[in-house]
Amino acid sequence: MRNRVRSCGRHLPQDAPAFTPETKRIPEGHGPGVPRPIWSQLCLRVLSVVADRLIGMSRFRLQPTPVQELALLEHCGHARFVWNLAVEQHSHWQPGRTAAPGYTEQCRQLTQARAENPWLAAGSVVVQQQGLKDFAQALANFFGRTHRRPTWRKRGRCEGFRIVAVRPGDVRRVSRKVGEVRVPKVGWVRFRWSRAVADGVKSYRVTRDRAGRWHVAFAVPPEPIAAPGTGAVVGVDRGVVVAAALSTGELLNAPTLRATEKARLQRLQRKLARAQRGSVRRGKVKTAIARLKARETDRRKDWVEKISTRLAGGFDVIGVEDLKIAAMTRSAKGSLDAPGRGVRQKAGLNRGILTNGWGLLVTRLEQKAPGRVVKVDPRFTSQRCSACGVVDREARESQAAFRCRSCGFACNADVNAALNVRFAAGHAVAARGGPPLGGPVNREPQRDLLLVR
Ligand SMILES: [Zn+2]
């Protein structure tokens, strides 16, 4: 019991008692100017919000033994093998030819291949079939124009596999900090029990990142966060210099690497350029670089989770720009005959867009606030005055400053854009009739339509 209370501060287990050591220590009459009952109510509310957020996040650090690691790598290899076979099948397709085999046909072929190749039959059929299913999903995403065409997988780069048909007994807690998951043909593999695992896990994915870290992610659809019911609308403008500007006037920056870390990354990259291909030293430098980059990604993802939770819990309607990210990040290179223009500038912009994790923010918002995210037409949001509505090219004086020449309204340019998004979102909700909650939902998250079942 004592242990559990102590762990409350950082990782709150789901079954933890609903109080913290801090609330216990407050003596009668010494609360922060608030009568005791209300203070404790406040504590309960805050804690329950935290618990909600934890259910959605489900990735844990996997800690395989060296022997298990080899077996897991074998699974990764099989998943990669069937994926690459599927890529090859689809690369032969040309207009006029019959379609490349789909998922069902590929599964039939897999059964045949397993009968002919003992090394393939030695692996897990679930891993191999799910590899094919991943490919089918990737292809659906490509045709849905949200992702690029699936391409070759390479050893050592973002490896992983998925296990489905997980039974309730396949995930268990061993001690306060240690859990175990049953992996077919590998056995029980330990993972860090850093937070509660939600009930009803149906599938999970095991991944190994470039830094050599193993993770297990349990697929639990994130619990939608309840709307506050105040009718509040917020506009979010996603930018390159500032990651996100809110119509409330807040400017949010996604965390990046610290100056010392950036310097270290640069040093490592120079070292990598000097290292001989295939040498041991090169491998070590590569891992060190991957570790630094993974740190940056982790921070950015954490930031997206926090911001999306805050917005979903604080506003009834969240307006975002409907940007075709895929189209925006497409290379400006062009071809050899017709070289693209502004290649350098576009490359810089691409980096900015990807760094700030735009797509992820909207995806998570749509999951946490289903039906409450309104995508608005982004045209003129940066040129229109949010006070009088006049569109003026010259109003944007610089990257940061907006000054309307017809009414004199002056504001941060990104906040002005966010105010326009908020206005449009409020308008869209009014147009589709009634309050957003319980009313008709016109726009479903696009990904749900594309899911391969
Ligand atoms: Zn104006």
Side-chain angles (χ1 to χ4, degrees), residues 340-354:
R341 285 186 305 170
V343 174
R344 295 276 353 139
Q345 291 89 321
K346 180 94 190 194
L349 185 64
N350 282 354
R351 259 200 305 280
I353 292 171
L354 297 173

Side-chain angles (χ1 to χ4, degrees), residues 384-390 402-410 416:
R384 177 174 281 133
C385 169
S386 59
C388 68
V390 167
F402 181 93
R403 184 181 301 280
C404 177
R405 290 190 301 179
S406 70
C407 76
F409 172 76
N416 178 64

